[in-house]
Structure formats: structure tokens, C-alpha cells
Amino acid sequence: MTLLLALPLLTVTDANAHGRRHGCDVDDLLEDYLDLFNDRATDWTHVLDEDYTVESPYGTYDLAGWQALTGGAWTAMPDVQWSLVRAVESGDKVALEYSFAGTFQADFLGIPANGASIVGRGMEMHQIDRSACRIVQTWNYSDAYGFFAQLQ
Amino acid sequence: MIAGGCTVEYPSPMAPRRSPTLRLATGTVDLVRQRFQRTDGAAVPLTAREARLLEHLADHVGQDVDRDALLVQVWGHRSVSLSRAVDTTVARLRRKIEQEPTSPRLLLTVHGHGYRLVPDDASAVAPVQGPPPRPPLRLPRGHHGRCIPPRHAMNDPTTEARGLALAYLSVLNERRIDAFADVLGDDLVSHLRVGDIVGLPAFVAVMEMCYDAFPGVIWEVDELIVTHDRAVIRYHFDAVQRGAFLGIPASHRMAHLEGVEVLHVRDGKVREIWNYADIMGLAAQLGAERPLALQM
């Protein structure tokens, strides 16, 4: 992923060798994960388990529900891009800190667009099924606090 | 967690309250390691939520368990919601523990109600001997009787990071402000969603504000992962707000907060913290008229 590779990644990879032995390169999986968002992918099942669930400040979602919410963000910020800030990996868990930047061009969750440049950060913890090399569950802690402040 | 001044028990918030192992007809569930050992020898990892769900159903084996009750008891939801989390997790569990996931014999659907864990035979769900508990991490006393990380831990960066993370949680939960300097550097920088806190004295001031606002607060660990120089803590707390918090006057309401922290460890101390927590959700629970973010 061009954008991601261009960034100064700070990735702690002490368990990566373990992952490769089992045929699941977590670095690649995380790149694919961010590509889902940055490339506006429609099929997410090569990265996320079909019974994937995510718990977030906005609620608990299954795969389809999370895709729908993300689609709303894509509409509101057509130019939004997500970037990896740092990842910490151990065993079947990966903590991923990310940032995003975009322009608020269409209404989002009832808030009218204001054309502002939006930047934000968040952190997720992922549970990985290494045998399938899929993310099966995510706990998302996006900075909704800072995000909504910028939408006003 | 620091008992007798210098002993840290490994926190095990995900550890079951009952026997740590369940025996099913198709294999054995290790609730501590979150792993299902199939009778055919295959080891299948479970998510923390799957293990928690199984534990809860095993506590009510043979009984119908309401879906909404599962959302409250296992997912921590504070009210009934339309979440499909239970159904998707059950579907995933069935693929792991059932011989025929489409024709489940262990984890049954109670239509219009919820789920029931049914043993295949009399011994299908039986507590068996679990692994011995992990020994406590003992912290020797340093100057002024304070606890310091063990020297052997210094030889293993990952152990050191884990020990510091546990000590950090201990001093926070026990309100041992006098011991903060044992685990936190004077040059600590803590990145919170409401701004950066620079220096240990400023961090202490923030914590004192938290203690005043939530006198009963205990940070419970949902997940702890460590590497050689970082520890990531996924946590939650449930506490009643008794004092002002971020401009919100005392509401005397119970609040639930979840978050995650990354600790950067260097030279035997926590030097930097990145915290992400659902502050806006917390503000809403405390009755803020508008989301806290909008008040800035």
C-alpha cells in the first residue's frame, strides 16, 4: 500500500517471526486492513472473518453494519485516508494506533457538512485468527470526542 | 494488587470465576488461555468474548439464557439493544466447538429467547483441574520502602514491561500516589483525548481529580499485551461520579468507561502514555446536556 509504505512506521514486531511460521504475516494483514478503508473496498472478507464483530464508541456492529458506518464516513469525507501510526503485536492480539485526515464535504450522522479539514486518531485492538489469517474481533477506541468537535 | 507492599499478583480479569477448564463432548475449553482443544487434537483459539460467553453459559448449563441478558452480562451493555453480537459470536463458537455447526448439539438456540448450553452426556460440562496459578511477581523494596521492578526483570525487557504495567495498574488502583515515581518517569508525557499531560506532577494532579470524581474507581484489565518496550492495556471501569469531572458536576450516576492505553517503557520506568477512551460516551452517561466534545 503506497500510502502506508511511505509513512515512518513504528512497528513492534517481536512476534512476527511466529506469525510467518504459521503463514500469517500480521504486517501484511494490517496493510490489507487499512487498504479496505483507503481503497473503498467492497469485499472485506479476505481480511475480516465473516462473523467479525467490532465494539466501538458508536455501538457494536457486525461486518455489514461496520461497512455501512464506514460507507457513511466515505460519503461525508470523500478524500479521507487512514494511516498507521504504530502497531504492537503479541500472540493473537494486535493493537493498532491510526490517524485519518479528510475534508467534511457531506452531512454525517445528521451534522451538516462544513467543509472543514478533519484530522483524527484512534486505537484498535484486534483479535486475529492466525490459521485463517483474518481479524475476528475488533475493539475500536476512535477519538469520537475530538472528531465530533471538528464537525461543528 | 500490591499485597504486603511489594507483591504483584498477575491480574486476570478474563479469568473465569469458576473452574478455568470446561470439558465438552467435543473437546476441552481452557477459559484462561482462551483455547479449545478438540478431541481430534486440534487446538482452536477462542476470542476473549467467546470464552466469556461459554463461561457464562456453563454457569447456567441446561438453562435458557436470554439474549438480552447475555448482552448485559457478557458484553457489558447497560441496556437492551438491537446488537447482533450474541448471534454472530454464537455462530463463530459453533464452528469451533460443534462437530456439525449447522446442527448444533451443545450450543442450542432457544427461539425467540436466547441460547442454552446442553451437555451431550452427564460429564459433558464438568470442571476439571486447571493449571496452577501463575506465581506473583514480587517487587523488592527500594529506597524509602518503595517497590521497584525486580532485577531479574531488567534482564528481560518483555518481563520488565509487563512488570511495570502491572505495577502501574497497582499504584493507580490503590491510589498510592507516593509510589507513582517508582513506576512513572519524572519526564512522563501522557497523551489524553483532552490534551497532553506533561510531567509527573501534572499526571498526579489529573489522577487526584479522577479519584475525587470517582472515589470507587478501579481500572479493570480486559487485555494486556506486552513487547520489549511497550505494554498495551485494554481496560474498563464502572464507578459512581461523586465529584466534578471535566467540567461535568457530580451526577451521582454509575458510569461505564472503556479504553486502551499504550505505555512506552524505557530505563525501568513508564515514560509515555497514549490513552484512548470513550470520553464522549462517558459524558453522555453523566448527563452532560451535549456531548462533551461539543462543549470545547
Side-chain angles (χ1 to χ4, degrees), chain B residues 123-138:
Chain B
S123 63
V125 180
V128 297
Q129 185 63 42
R134 298 178 69 177
L137 178 65
R138 297 184 182 283

Side-chain angles (χ1 to χ4, degrees), chain A residues 10 12-14 49-53 55-58 60-62 86-90 92-95 97-98 121-125 127-131 136-137 139 141-149 152, chain B residues 34 45-50 75 77 83-85 88-89 91-92 95-96 158 193-194 222-235 258-262 274 276-280 292-294 296:
Chain A
L10 173 57
V12 182
T13 57
D14 67 320
D49 186 86
E50 63 180 10
D51 289 326
Y52 173 77
T53 55
E55 298 182 29
S56 79
Y58 310 102
T60 301
Y61 295 88
D62 60 11
R86 64 176 58 80
V88 180
E89 175 196 350
S90 183
D92 60 354
K93 299 289 194 313
V94 179
E97 187 177 4
Y98 63 89
R121 296 174 85 93
M123 178 159 284
E124 293 180 332
M125 186 172 284
Q127 170 110 20
I128 294 172
D129 178 349
R130 284 182 177 273
S131 60
V136 297
Q137 190 167 5
W139 292 264
Y141 301 96
S142 66
D143 182 16
Y145 172 85
F147 176 66
F148 281 104
Q152 297 301 303
Chain B
Q34 297 170 15
L46 302 175
T47 67
R49 191 73 69 194
E50 290 166 354
W75 270 259
H77 289 197
S83 170
R84 291 191 59 240
T88 56
T89 303
R92 194 164 59 227
R95 289 205 298 274
K96 296 180 178 181
T158 301
R193 291 311 92 206
V194 292
D222 294 315
E223 201 83 57
L224 172 62
I225 65 176
V226 294
T227 66
H228 66 285
D229 67 347
R230 298 198 193 273
V232 183
I233 304 166
R234 189 168 64 81
Y235 66 88
E258 297 183 16
V260 62
E261 278 198 343
V262 179
W274 293 268
Y276 288 88
D278 184 13
I279 296 295
M280 200 167 70
L292 192 61
L294 304 183
M296 298 292 286

Side-chain angles (χ1 to χ4, degrees), chain B residues 24-237:
Chain B
L24 302 175
T26 52
T28 302
V29 180
D30 185 331
L31 293 168
V32 174
R33 294 187 175 85
Q34 297 170 15
R35 189 170 299 276
F36 180 59
Q37 188 74 43
R38 297 188 68 97
T39 52
D40 63 9
V44 182
L46 302 175
T47 67
R49 191 73 69 194
E50 290 166 354
R52 235 190 250 179
L53 176 60
L54 268 180
E55 179 200 356
H56 188 82
L57 291 171
D59 283 342
H60 301 82
V61 66
Q63 304 172 25
D64 297 351
V65 182
D66 184 76
R67 184 183 280 101
D68 292 336
L70 289 171
L71 280 172
V72 173
Q73 297 294 327
V74 178
W75 270 259
H77 289 197
R78 306 201 68 76
S79 59
V80 174
S81 75
L82 298 178
S83 170
R84 291 191 59 240
V86 175
D87 302 322
T88 56
T89 303
V90 165
R92 194 164 59 227
L93 256 180
R94 281 175 172 156
R95 289 205 298 274
K96 296 180 178 181
I97 68 171
E98 298 278 2
Q99 282 190 333
E100 294 291 340
T102 55
S103 303
R105 296 184 61 193
L106 298 170
L107 189 44
L108 304 185
T109 299
V110 182
H111 291 290
H113 186 72
Y115 294 96
R116 182 170 69 237
L117 186 64
V118 177
D120 250 13
D121 56 56
S123 63
V125 180
V128 297
Q129 185 63 42
R134 298 178 69 177
L137 178 65
R138 297 184 182 283
L139 303 182
R141 288 189 180 278
H143 296 301
H144 312 298
R146 291 175 173 175
C147 297
I148 59 174
R151 287 197 176 279
H152 75 269
M154 299 300 188
N155 298 326
D156 178 350
T158 301
T159 303
E160 179 191 9
R162 175 180 292 277
L164 276 172
L166 298 176
Y168 166 72
L169 290 161
S170 295
V171 297
L172 287 189
N173 282 336
E174 297 187 1
R175 291 131 172 85
R176 295 194 56 202
I177 292 173
D178 63 319
F180 276 18
D182 292 337
V183 293
L184 302 171
D186 289 338
D187 55 350
L188 174 72
V189 178
S190 183
H191 306 278
L192 308 178
R193 291 311 92 206
V194 292
D196 288 351
I197 308 300
V198 180
L200 185 55
F203 182 81
V204 169
V206 169
M207 293 312 302
E208 287 178 329
M209 182 267 289
C210 287
Y211 296 147
D212 289 342
F214 299 98
V217 66
I218 296 288
W219 284 269
E220 305 265 5
V221 182
D222 294 315
E223 201 83 57
L224 172 62
I225 65 176
V226 294
T227 66
H228 66 285
D229 67 347
R230 298 198 193 273
V232 183
I233 304 166
R234 189 168 64 81
Y235 66 88
H236 74 272
F237 75 65

